Amino acid sequence: MANVELSSLARLPSLNKLRKLELSDNIISGGLEVLAEKCPNLTYLNLSGNKIKDLSTVEALQNLKNLKSLDLFNCEITNLEDYRESIFELLQQITYLDGFDQEDNEAPDSEEEDDEDGDEDDEDEDEDEAEAGPPEGYEEEEEEEEEDEDEDEDEGGSELGEGEEEVGLSYLMKEEIQDEEDDDDYVEEGEEEEEEEEEGLRGEKRKRDAEDDGEEEDD
């Protein structure tokens, strides 16, 4: 709410989660106690360029227990002698006044602070997601199911392989037996043919002998 000619904070709504409030370049001169009531968790408050003149006005900010950074630049109060020492003594919860701490170290950029807060939120979300992962035992069940499937496939493959091997062996054995039978048939047929030829030859010999005997009787 910077530079909107705001003179009072009396109608400020209740913003319990608000951490950063910009009220610079307005005409606020008092009534800062409302901030502790409506925005109790403020960590950063910018009142620069307002009509704040004395320490008693700022004293109301003591109830902002989480306040770390206060900006009163370009307010008349900055013209007071020992202004910085007085504010740090009055508001002991703050670390930075007008962008610097008591040792004149500059405050980190507000955007960097926001990034850090964002990183913390992301880490919290990651942790929540990790915690909200699959229930315990879920992955183990999946692994067991996969192992069972692999075992079934192996058993099926081995059974099929054994069956195929048995069929192959029996088939080869049958072929071998058939070949032996065929060889035996061939041998038997050959022997019969030789016997027939021998018998034929013996018959012809007897016939010739008989003829020779007949011729001798005729003589």
Side-chain angles (χ1 to χ4, degrees):
M1 294 186 290
N3 196 20
V4 292
E5 298 183 358
L6 189 65
S7 60
S8 174
L9 299 174
R11 299 180 65 180
L12 187 70
S14 179
L15 302 167
N16 290 325
K17 294 183 179 180
L18 188 66
R19 297 173 60 188
K20 182 177 181 179
L21 181 58
E22 290 275 359
L23 294 172
S24 60
D25 299 318
N26 284 295
I27 49 177
I28 298 169
S29 59
L32 300 183
E33 62 274 359
V34 175
L35 292 174
E37 296 174 9
K38 301 296 180 70
C39 307
N41 292 308
L42 282 180
T43 59
Y44 174 87
L45 177 60
N46 188 350
L47 290 169
S48 62
N50 279 281
K51 306 296 182 182
I52 298 171
K53 299 179 181 179
D54 47 51
L55 292 173
S56 59
T57 303
V58 178
E59 189 175 357
L61 299 178
Q62 286 179 334
N63 293 325
L64 287 172
K65 303 299 183 181
N66 296 318
L67 189 65
K68 299 300 178 187
S69 181
L70 175 64
D71 197 342
L72 295 171
F73 185 71
N74 276 346
C75 290
E76 291 185 33
I77 192 173
T78 59
N79 296 323
L80 294 176
E81 188 176 355
D82 299 327
Y83 151 72
R84 289 181 61 81
E85 290 80 358
S86 299
I87 295 293
F88 277 118
E89 185 177 349
L90 184 66
L91 304 175
Q92 296 185 8
Q93 77 271 34
I94 69 171
T95 303
Y96 300 101
L97 176 62
D98 300 334
F100 294 88
D101 64 12
Q102 285 181 280
E103 284 76 31
D104 290 332
N105 296 314
E106 190 172 2
D109 186 56
S110 59
E111 291 182 0
E112 291 179 3
E113 289 181 349
D114 292 340
D115 290 341
E116 289 176 2
D117 294 338
D119 292 340
E120 289 176 1
D121 293 339
D122 292 340
E123 289 176 2
D124 293 339
E125 288 177 3
D126 292 339
E127 289 176 1
D128 293 340
E129 288 177 359
E131 290 174 359
E136 291 182 3
Y138 177 77
E139 292 180 358
E140 292 178 1
E141 288 178 4
E142 279 191 346
E143 290 176 0
E144 288 176 1
E145 288 176 2
E146 289 177 359
E147 288 176 2
D148 292 341
E149 289 177 2
D150 293 340
E151 287 176 2
D152 293 340
E153 288 177 1
D154 292 341
E155 288 176 1
S158 62
E159 287 174 3
L160 182 60
E162 289 172 3
E164 288 177 351
E165 192 174 340
E166 287 176 2
V167 170
L169 286 171
S170 61
Y171 178 76
L172 290 173
M173 290 173 69
K174 287 176 183 176
E175 285 287 323
E176 200 170 320
I177 292 166
Q178 187 66 39
D179 290 341
E180 289 176 359
E181 289 177 354
D182 292 342
D183 292 342
D184 292 342
D185 293 342
Y186 179 76
V187 170
E188 288 174 1
E189 288 175 1
E191 289 175 354
E192 288 176 359
E193 288 176 358
E194 288 177 359
E195 288 176 359
E196 288 176 358
E197 288 178 0
E198 288 177 358
E199 286 178 0
L201 291 170
R202 284 197 293 272
E204 288 178 1
K205 187 177 180 182
R206 289 195 199 101
K207 187 177 180 182
R208 285 196 299 273
D209 290 343
E211 289 176 355
D212 291 341
D213 291 340
E215 288 175 359
E216 287 177 357
E217 287 176 1
D218 291 339
D219 292 340

